[in-house]
Amino acid sequence: MTTLICGSIAYDTIMVFHDRFKNHILPEQIHILNLAFLVPEMRREFGGCAGNIAYNLKLLGDAPLIMATVGDDAGPYLDRLDRLGLSRAHVRHVEGSYTAQAFITTDLDDNQITAFHPGAMSFSHHNRASDAAEATLAIVAPDGRDGMLRHAEDLAAARIPFIFDPGQGLPMFSGDEVLHFLDLARYACFNDYEARLACDRTGRSLDELAGRLEALIVTRGAEGSHIYAGGRRLDIPCAPAKAVVDPTGCGDAYRAGLLYGIARQWDWERTGRLAAVMGAIKVASRGGQNHVPSRGEIAGCFAAAFGRAPW
């Protein structure tokens, strides 16, 4: 089974301010805000939802396809995909643009100020999911608005089951558009905030939204996740992490576990627990793609958390 990952490829530039923002932002002066922060620590990470999900599926032993758009500065990322053995047959270069990127400044209290430039991501609608004829499962992850709509419609027309995963892109869509996505998709995945927003936008309850799908997954951070399927709610516990270092990319790692289990027609209990383990492994490492467990180590983490190996 070949899984198509429709979503963003991005660079994350992360800077650390060795002080607290609150010491430099004067509430009575915010109408003339003009600040500069000295950031002696800086690192650049490979990210984007499509890149992160594909990376985690590769760790599990899959060979996913990435469908994304990148800019003129994508060379280091494309080289990385080659080294990892991830196909870039459906990664489109948009000339005259930058690859999507986030610039994140963090202070000593872990507060963040982020600027995001979508760049080539805004042209994701030029990709057609139907071009990936070998795909048998897919996910529509955060990407350009028009691209997400087109990919969902293409996948539905091709009868390829997919997960609708709007993430931080959910506010771009009206309630009717969210319902349209759910009617095209077979599965959907939200975090708890996004689930509440989806209910608010659509005027429907979570149970009503779940009724339009084979399964609706709601992640809840350290409290685990809920999977609504077959008219019932399955509570998936959080897998213990060796350390809590950085949550960046945990949701993407979780989604890779979902896709792996769905592709193999596992039951939801087993699928959800693998997703939880992938998230726990990721949170112990800084950045979205720096954890390097072997498949055997992933199985060992699953067994330690849940009493038996997943395969």
Side-chain angles (χ1 to χ4, degrees):
M1 202 168 199
T2 300
T3 302
L4 179 67
I5 317 297
C6 301
S8 62
I9 279 181
Y11 291 117
D12 296 329
T13 299
I14 302 164
M15 297 157 283
V16 180
F17 175 51
H18 289 181
D19 201 341
R20 294 170 172 81
F21 296 142
K22 65 182 181 182
N23 294 336
H24 298 265
I25 298 175
L26 303 176
E28 68 276 10
Q29 297 294 317
I30 57 173
H31 64 292
I32 53 170
L33 194 64
N34 187 355
L35 295 172
F37 299 111
L38 179 66
V39 287
E41 290 184 43
M42 185 177 80
R43 69 182 193 276
R44 195 183 203 195
E45 302 284 3
F46 297 101
C49 294
N52 291 345
I53 294 169
Y55 177 81
N56 283 279
L57 272 171
K58 185 69 175 179
L59 291 175
L60 285 164
D62 268 10
L65 298 174
I66 299 172
M67 180 163 282
T69 44
V70 297
D72 297 335
D73 57 343
Y77 210 131
L78 298 179
D79 290 344
R80 174 177 172 78
L81 295 181
D82 291 342
R83 290 194 303 272
L84 292 170
L86 287 167
S87 171
R88 50 186 174 100
H90 303 290
V91 177
R92 179 188 294 267
H93 173 208
V94 180
E95 292 187 5
S97 70
Y98 288 104
T99 301
Q101 44 204 293
F103 299 90
I104 305 164
T105 303
T106 301
D107 74 358
L108 294 179
D109 291 329
D110 287 331
N111 296 307
Q112 292 185 333
I113 297 174
T114 301
F116 183 76
H117 175 65
M121 196 177 81
S122 300
F123 298 90
S124 61
H125 56 283
H126 292 304
N127 283 329
R128 299 300 301 263
S130 56
D131 291 341
E134 63 271 54
T136 50
L137 177 66
I139 184 169
V140 175
D143 206 347
R145 171 188 159 80
D146 293 343
M148 292 179 71
L149 286 164
R150 166 162 279 187
H151 297 153
E153 290 167 356
D154 284 353
L155 291 165
R159 298 176 182 264
I160 298 171
F162 70 92
I163 298 175
F164 172 51
D165 171 31
Q168 65 268 32
L170 183 59
M172 295 189 296
F173 302 106
S174 69
D176 287 342
E177 287 170 329
V178 171
L179 292 175
H180 180 56
F181 274 115
L182 296 180
D183 289 339
L184 295 174
R186 186 172 295 183
Y187 320 97
C189 189
F190 304 129
N191 65 27
D192 49 358
Y193 173 79
E194 294 156 3
R196 290 193 296 271
L197 179 58
C199 291
D200 183 65
R201 284 282 170 97
T202 62
R204 306 293 203 280
S205 69
L206 205 54
D207 286 333
E208 288 174 317
L209 296 181
R212 306 173 90 100
L213 300 154
E214 186 172 314
L216 171 63
I217 300 95
V218 179
T219 62
R220 305 170 65 244
E223 296 180 15
S225 55
H226 294 157
I227 298 179
Y228 298 80
R232 67 190 186 98
R233 190 188 84 183
L234 183 64
D235 296 338
I236 303 296
C238 185
K242 291 182 179 179
V244 178
V245 175
D246 180 9
T248 304
C250 286
D252 297 327
Y254 182 100
R255 283 148 181 78
L258 289 180
L259 289 164
Y260 187 90
I262 291 170
R264 285 152 183 79
Q265 299 183 339
W266 288 2
D267 61 56
W268 286 112
E269 180 85 29
R270 187 179 174 193
T271 297
R273 290 186 175 201
L274 178 62
V277 166
M278 294 304 293
I281 290 171
K282 206 311 311 155
V283 80
S285 176
R286 193 170 298 282
Q289 298 179 27
N290 293 323
H291 51 300
V292 289
S294 67
R295 199 165 179 271
E297 288 169 335
I298 294 170
C301 290
F302 190 106
F306 301 116
R308 63 180 181 88
W311 46 71

